[in-house]
């Protein structure tokens, strides 16, 4: 990467970027949380204070510091201060406990954690099985953690940070964060990412969403997730914009919060858009300053009604923890339903199972490689076998099926392991789920295969709703029959009030597949709808 580009990214380190913003925009509000505001000068001072405090613990360079807190300013300053100290930040899901928490700490060999009092019981329960030595607690704490010294954040961490030089010399290629994967097929993997990868991800967010320093960016997603940490917070700091960090998502209060802060950009994952659409319409639905929403996934059946109702522009894209966001649907020339075109540091292709490149319109696996160094993950921590397996043929294999059209737009089809085959036809669970989500009252949806008496699969649709007793299954079936090719229409339907999910919120389809058809499942064939479905 050219020297000029590195300078634009604060020399290629996260601490350098914050220092640069503090020098040029000291009085600009950088971060707003329910507890107050921090200017860029104050954010930089807090960052330096955390760095000084961690250095006082005499942690070896490259040591892992776990951060386990809800959304608050201290999460941000803990992250920024940790990576500025030449240490590695490990964001820990606040739902973790027991073996999940133990695995996160032992995998990363974390000796230090910055946390809140409410998480101390979970830490105390696993501390003997970990290397924890320092537990830094925001707010007052009285509970002990076996084998570790418990100390206050204000007393130990925020005790320095007035110097004008970076306390530790970090390089763009140095590890900044070890992110923990969702663990949908086994224990979470540790994704090792550099300073430069995070900064380039932030810059490409800004380039593709056309954001500027005048924007106000908002997220209510948890900070342990890259969608909040990188795609909103670091994105905003790269621009010198204002970032609003909400405590959590609330469908009923969301738009009031957005209006109060004058938000112009926000992001959403999973069921957020359907949940907002499910709220009763208001006369002031379009009374907001929001210009752009980044949402993934956002199928057309959800995207278009959302834009029409709230008067915003939704941008869909595609990314994974290991490679950051690598496509965005262009704002000025989009194709609704597409995941867009590659970013400027990205090379994508579609390959068959033998590693051969496929042509336009041919479905295969989406594969990736970077055009510059240090903008994808370095490795799965302590797991060289998995690292090498994903890098077959000098391409990183996403495990996702898709295709590229003649104009260079990429289209997502399905996860390879979630693809279905029914009566000789391949079915995209993603496309079935998009139609299910467009039915009123459905908050989340999953389409999975279940054994058929004819061989291959029948399609089971599982939907998440507020009240399972209110679901009109014949009406839901007709909705699918009206919007899907006949071979894709699910035969079986079941409603749940909460999906089984991983600690990072992903639906555990393996659990749904193992549960299969039960006595709470509605069968379209048994109800006499087969003639409508098969024509």
């Amino acid at each position: 990467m050219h020297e000029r580009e590195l300078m634009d990214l604060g020399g290629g380190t996260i601490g350098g970027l914050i220092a640069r913003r503090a020098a040029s925009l000291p009085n600009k509000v950088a971060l707003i949380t329910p507890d107050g505001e921090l200017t860029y000068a104050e954010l930089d001072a807090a960052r330096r204070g955390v760095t000084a405090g961690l250095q006082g613990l005499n942690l070896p360079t490259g040591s892992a510091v776990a951060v386990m807190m809800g959304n608050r300013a201290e999460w941000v300053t803990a992250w920024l201060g940790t990576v500025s100290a030449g240490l590695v930040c490990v964001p820990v899901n606040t739902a973790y406990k027991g073996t999940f928490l133990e695995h996160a700490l032992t995998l990363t060999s974390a000796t230090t954690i910055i946390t809140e009092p409410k998480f101390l019981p979970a830490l105390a329960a696993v501390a003997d099985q970990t290397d924890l030595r320092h537990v830094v607690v925001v707010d007052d704490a009285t509970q002990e953690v076996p084998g570790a010294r418990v100390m206050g954040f204000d007393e130990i961490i925020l005790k320095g940070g007035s110097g004008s030089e970076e306390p530790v010399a970090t390089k763009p290629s140095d590890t900044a964060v070890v992110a923990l994967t969702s663990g949908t097929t086994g224990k979470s993997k540790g994704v090792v990412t550099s300073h430069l990868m995070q900064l380039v991800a932030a810059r490409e967010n800004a380039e593709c969403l056309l954001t500027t320093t005048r924007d106000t960016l908002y997220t209510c997603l948890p900070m342990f997730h890259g969608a909040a940490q990188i795609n909103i917070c670091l994105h905003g700091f790269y621009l010198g914009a204002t970032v609003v960090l909400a405590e959590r998502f609330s469908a009923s209060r969301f738009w009031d919060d957005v209006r109060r802060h004058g938000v112009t950009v926000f992001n959403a994952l999973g069921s957020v858009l359907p949940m907002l659409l499910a709220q009763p319409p208001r006369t002031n639905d379009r009374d907001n300053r929001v210009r752009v929403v980044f949402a993934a996934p956002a199928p057309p059946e959800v995207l278009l009604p959302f834009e029409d109702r709230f008067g915003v522009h939704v941008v869909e894209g595609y990314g994974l923890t290991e490679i950051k966001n690598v496509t965005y649907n262009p704002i000025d020339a989009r194709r609704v339903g597409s995941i867009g075109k590659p970013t400027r540091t990205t090379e994508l292709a579609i390959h068959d199972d033998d590693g051969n490149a496929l042509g336009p319109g041919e479905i295969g696996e989406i594969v990736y490689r970077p055009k510059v160094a240090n903008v994808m993950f370095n490795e799965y921590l302590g797991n060289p076998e998995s690292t090498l397996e994903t890098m077959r043929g000098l391409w990183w294999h996403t495990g996702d099926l898709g295709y590229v059209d003649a104009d260079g737009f990429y289209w997502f089809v399905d996860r390879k392991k979630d693809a279905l085959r029914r009566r000789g036809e391949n079915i995209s669970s993603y496309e079935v789920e998009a139609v299910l989500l467009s039915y009123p009252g459905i908050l989340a949806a999953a389409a999975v295969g279940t054994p058929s008496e004819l061989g291959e699969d029948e399609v089971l649709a599982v939907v998440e709703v507020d009240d399972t007793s209110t679901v009109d299954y014949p009406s839901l079936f007709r909705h699918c029959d009206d919007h899907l090719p006949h071979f894709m229409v699910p035969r079986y339907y079941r409603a749940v009030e909460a999906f089984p999910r991983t600690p990072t919120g992903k639906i555990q389809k393996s659990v749904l597949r193992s549960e299969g058809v039960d006595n709470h499942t509605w069968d379209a064939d048994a109800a006499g709808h087969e003639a409508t479905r098969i024509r």
Side-chain angles (χ1 to χ4, degrees):
M1 185 167 286
H2 298 303
E3 185 70 23
R4 181 177 296 178
E5 284 190 278
L6 284 178
M7 288 302 296
D8 180 54
L9 296 169
T13 68
I14 294 170
L17 175 76
I18 302 303
R20 182 168 180 170
R21 294 295 169 263
S24 61
L25 299 166
N27 299 317
K28 175 80 178 285
V29 174
L31 182 66
I32 299 174
T33 70
D35 294 326
E37 300 179 353
L38 289 175
T39 65
Y40 274 99
E42 292 167 336
L43 180 66
D44 189 48
R47 171 188 70 90
R48 292 177 184 275
V50 173
T51 295
L54 291 174
Q55 287 179 310
L57 299 178
N58 297 315
L59 303 176
T61 299
S63 296
V65 176
V67 178
M68 187 178 187
M69 289 187 276
N71 283 8
R72 55 190 297 167
E74 290 88 350
W75 205 111
V76 178
T77 56
W79 156 47
L80 298 177
T82 295
V83 300
S84 298
L87 303 170
V88 177
C89 179
V90 179
V92 177
N93 191 314
T94 54
Y96 277 5
K97 58 185 177 181
T99 57
F100 288 93
L101 181 55
E102 178 187 338
H103 175 68
L105 298 175
T106 55
L107 173 66
T108 58
S109 302
T111 59
T112 305
I113 189 167
I114 304 174
T115 189
E116 296 176 278
K118 62 184 175 182
F119 301 117
L120 290 178
L123 282 171
V126 302
D128 286 340
Q129 287 76 51
T130 72
D131 297 324
L132 276 183
R133 296 293 177 266
H134 309 287
V135 178
V136 182
V137 185
V138 176
D139 304 327
D140 295 330
T142 57
Q143 180 166 347
E144 296 183 355
V145 175
R149 175 189 172 200
V150 179
M151 61 199 82
F153 187 84
D154 289 341
E155 296 177 11
I156 303 299
I157 297 298
L158 295 179
K159 66 178 184 181
S162 59
S164 59
E165 300 297 326
E166 284 298 299
V168 175
T170 53
K171 304 189 299 296
S173 59
D174 286 345
T175 300
V177 169
V178 174
L180 299 168
T181 64
S182 299
T184 52
T185 58
K187 287 188 174 181
S188 297
K189 297 184 181 73
V191 180
V192 179
T193 60
S194 69
H195 284 255
L196 189 61
M197 177 179 172
Q198 291 206 323
L199 289 168
V200 169
R203 182 186 68 187
E204 290 182 343
N205 266 276
E207 290 175 341
C208 296
L209 300 184
L210 306 181
T211 45
T212 73
T213 189
R214 295 184 296 277
D215 278 303
T216 298
L217 286 68
Y218 175 95
T219 189
C220 54
L221 303 175
M223 278 295 294
F224 59 75
H225 198 295
Q229 184 188 4
I230 301 172
N231 295 348
I232 290 295
C233 285
L234 199 57
H235 171 184
F237 299 156
Y238 164 74
L239 292 166
T242 297
V243 173
V244 180
L245 180 60
E247 206 170 354
R248 64 180 63 87
F249 172 69
S250 168
S252 61
R253 297 193 300 270
F254 181 86
W255 287 108
D256 291 337
D257 207 24
V258 163
R259 291 185 191 96
R260 181 168 63 255
H261 293 293
V263 170
T264 58
V265 178
F266 71 83
N267 65 344
L269 292 174
S271 60
V272 169
L273 298 191
M275 290 177 73
L276 292 173
L277 277 172
Q279 292 294 299
R282 299 180 182 178
T283 56
N284 64 345
D285 276 341
R286 282 176 162 257
D287 179 20
N288 64 75
R289 294 182 55 203
V290 175
R291 179 177 56 82
V292 174
V293 178
F294 179 76
E301 295 83 0
V302 173
L303 181 151
L304 294 174
F306 193 89
E307 289 186 336
D308 183 63
R309 176 171 167 181
F310 297 107
V312 301
H313 183 98
V314 178
V315 174
E316 191 172 11
Y318 173 80
L320 295 158
T321 304
E322 293 89 342
I323 58 175
K324 64 180 175 52
N325 286 351
V326 293
T327 70
Y328 293 83
N329 213 340
I331 286 180
D332 55 354
R334 72 176 179 180
R335 293 195 177 171
V336 174
S338 166
I339 56 174
K341 292 187 172 184
T343 66
R344 62 182 167 116
T345 64
T346 295
E347 184 177 357
L348 289 185
I350 305 294
H351 283 185
D352 66 17
D353 289 340
D354 295 321
N356 300 306
L358 297 176
E362 295 183 291
I363 294 175
E365 184 174 9
I366 302 171
V367 295
Y368 160 88
R369 58 189 178 196
K371 292 182 177 179
V372 297
N374 300 308
V375 298
M376 68 176 289
F377 84 127
N378 296 332
E379 61 173 332
Y380 290 119
L381 185 64
N383 194 343
E385 295 84 2
S386 292
T387 305
L388 290 173
E389 172 61 21
T390 62
M391 287 298 300
R392 300 184 306 278
L394 301 181
W395 290 87
W396 193 77
H397 290 250
T398 65
D400 291 333
L401 297 174
Y403 65 92
V404 60
D405 65 24
D407 296 316
F409 284 83
Y410 280 78
W411 300 76
F412 176 85
V413 174
D414 210 347
R415 290 290 295 168
K416 285 185 75 172
K417 63 183 177 62
D418 291 338
L420 307 171
R421 186 169 178 84
R422 179 176 178 274
R423 301 187 186 182
E425 298 278 4
N426 293 318
I427 297 173
S428 164
S429 64
Y430 173 79
E431 292 179 334
V432 176
E433 288 157 7
V435 170
L436 291 166
L437 282 171
S438 68
Y439 186 81
I442 290 181
L443 305 177
V448 298
T450 193
S452 167
E453 62 268 36
L454 301 176
E456 297 186 326
D457 294 319
E458 288 288 1
V459 181
L460 166 64
V462 187
V463 296
E464 186 176 274
V465 295
D466 286 331
D467 183 354
T468 59
S469 67
T470 63
V471 177
D472 184 341
Y473 289 113
S475 174
L476 178 57
F477 168 83
R478 289 192 296 272
H479 173 79
C480 292
D481 196 42
D482 287 343
H483 292 86
L484 288 168
H486 67 84
F487 65 87
M488 296 178 68
V489 177
R491 170 180 173 179
Y492 297 110
Y493 298 79
R494 185 168 70 246
V496 297
E497 292 181 2
F499 272 120
R501 295 180 182 271
T502 68
T504 53
K506 291 189 176 180
I507 297 171
Q508 292 181 306
K509 288 190 173 181
S510 60
V511 174
L512 300 178
R513 280 190 286 265
S514 66
E515 292 173 345
V517 174
D518 61 19
N519 57 3
H520 298 292
T521 305
W522 186 82
D523 181 354
D525 284 6
H529 292 282
E530 185 174 14
T532 304
R533 186 165 56 86
I534 306 298
R535 46 180 182 263

